[in-house]
């Protein structure tokens, strides 16, 4: 889950991006700002994963704003001016969206965010996590992640599937995903899979042993891009 803020002085642009963010389950919209000074104050006090940042802003441009931030979060620039594209990548932005922004183009930027995050994960100890503890049956139970096939959402609970057993845990799917290494992938609003256990896949589903896990329409492009790699 990426915690996002939007910085744009145009009300219509703000509204459009907020609507797009609401359509993508891996994005969480925190707040929007019409000027960079308010955004700067918010960043100093809150954890933000992604900024959707307009370049042409009053008083201080988006590029100037980027220059002033120490260890900035991931940035997706938005602008109506194509000439800024080349310069923008000098600041390590994930993507550059040219207005008017279509949802298809926006979703491609989200894919880049996810792929960028996976690359970073490979360089961290997150990928070395071998087990986690979950609360079930009034105790903390150790889950060896190598043994997990997939995890299924049951509203306020999740069901963790193994070859020979299942464990039901009072937890939301998005929350348990945060504790898992990058070998686990959310492929549907109701399913997370262990990619090491995949035996086959199509554009519609993933096969793990005797189970067929559907790929949700919202996740399709991202999931297939990752599996092809």
């Amino acid at each position: 889950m990426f915690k996002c803020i939007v910085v744009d002085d145009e009300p219509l642009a703000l509204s459009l991006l907020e609507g797009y963010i609401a359509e993508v389950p891996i994005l969480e919209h925190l707040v929007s700002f019409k000027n960079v000074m308010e955004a700067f104050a918010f960043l100093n006090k809150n954890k933000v994963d992604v900024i959707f940042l307009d370049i042409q802003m009053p008083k201080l441009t988006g590029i100037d704003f980027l220059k002033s931030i120490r260890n900035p979060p991931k940035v997706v620039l938005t602008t109506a001016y194509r000439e800024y594209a080349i310069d923008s990548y000098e600041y390590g932005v994930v993507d550059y969206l040219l207005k008017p922004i279509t949802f298809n183009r926006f979703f491609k930027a989200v894919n880049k965010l996810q792929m960028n995050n996976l690359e970073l994960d490979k360089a961290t100890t997150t990928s070395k996590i071998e087990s986690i503890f979950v609360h079930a049956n009034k105790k903390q139970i150790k889950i060896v992640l190598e043994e997990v096939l997939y995890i299924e959402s049951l509203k306020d609970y999740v069901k963790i599937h193994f070859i020979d057993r299942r464990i039901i845990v009072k937890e939301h799917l998005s929350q348990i995903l945060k504790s898992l290494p990058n070998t686990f992938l959310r492929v549907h609003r109701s399913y997370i899979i262990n990619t090491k256990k995949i035996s086959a896949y199509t554009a519609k589903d993933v096969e793990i042993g005797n189970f067929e896990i559907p790929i949700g329409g919202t996740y399709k492009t991202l999931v297939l891009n990752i599996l092809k790699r």
Side-chain angles (χ1 to χ4, degrees):
M1 180 73 74
F2 294 97
K3 296 182 182 295
C4 310
I5 65 171
V6 182
V7 186
D8 199 310
D9 62 323
E10 300 177 26
L12 289 178
L14 279 179
S15 179
L16 180 72
L17 287 171
E18 289 169 356
Y20 285 172
I21 290 170
E23 292 292 322
V24 182
I26 64 170
L27 300 180
E28 178 186 352
H29 177 238
L30 298 179
V31 65
S32 295
F33 300 101
K34 293 183 179 180
N35 68 74
V36 294
M37 298 312 298
E38 292 179 354
F40 186 80
F42 184 84
L43 286 174
N44 285 335
K45 297 180 180 180
N46 300 274
K47 182 182 183 300
V48 174
D49 299 311
V50 184
I51 306 175
F52 289 93
L53 177 65
D54 186 26
I55 293 180
Q56 287 293 90
M57 300 283 288
K59 296 184 179 180
L60 194 67
T61 70
I63 296 296
D64 290 334
F65 176 57
L66 274 181
K67 293 177 182 178
S68 68
I69 306 174
R70 180 178 297 178
N71 300 319
K74 295 178 177 66
V75 175
V76 176
L77 288 176
T78 64
T79 184
Y81 302 94
R82 189 182 301 273
E83 60 266 28
Y84 289 106
I86 296 176
D87 291 340
S88 68
Y89 287 107
E90 294 181 7
Y91 302 98
V93 302
V94 174
D95 207 350
Y96 178 96
L97 300 180
L98 190 65
K99 298 177 181 179
I101 303 167
T102 64
F103 181 76
N104 181 59
R105 183 62 186 87
F106 174 83
F107 195 68
K108 287 181 179 179
V110 175
N111 285 339
K112 288 185 179 181
L113 282 170
Q114 184 77 348
M115 297 304 294
N116 182 271
N117 199 54
L118 288 174
E119 291 298 325
L120 290 175
D121 282 346
K122 290 178 182 178
T124 68
T125 56
T126 304
S127 60
K128 299 179 182 179
I129 297 174
E130 297 179 351
S131 64
I132 61 173
F133 282 88
V134 297
H135 187 73
N137 300 323
K138 298 182 179 180
K139 55 187 174 182
Q140 295 293 325
I141 299 176
K142 183 178 182 179
I143 302 296
V144 178
L145 297 177
E146 180 67 26
E147 299 175 357
V148 176
L149 300 180
Y150 65 95
I151 304 172
E152 178 183 5
S153 173
L154 303 173
K155 292 187 177 180
D156 294 332
Y157 294 81
V158 297
K159 183 187 291 186
I160 303 175
H161 293 258
F162 302 86
I163 293 177
D164 56 352
R165 71 188 194 282
R166 294 162 184 78
I167 294 176
I168 295 180
V169 180
K170 186 170 173 46
E171 186 68 89
H172 290 287
L173 199 67
S174 59
Q175 192 63 35
I176 200 167
L177 181 61
K178 295 178 181 178
S179 64
L180 299 173
N182 55 31
T183 51
F184 284 80
L185 176 65
R186 190 167 188 174
V187 298
H188 187 280
R189 64 184 301 177
S190 298
Y191 294 98
I192 295 170
I193 63 167
N194 183 348
T195 57
K196 290 185 176 182
K197 301 297 183 180
I198 296 174
S199 54
Y201 71 90
T202 69
K204 296 182 178 180
D205 57 51
V206 175
E207 292 182 15
I208 296 181
N210 296 322
F211 303 100
E212 291 185 356
I213 314 300
I215 298 175
T218 303
Y219 297 85
K220 182 177 179 180
T221 302
L222 176 62
V223 170
L224 294 180
N225 283 341
I226 291 174
L227 294 184
K228 286 175 184 178
R229 295 184 65 182

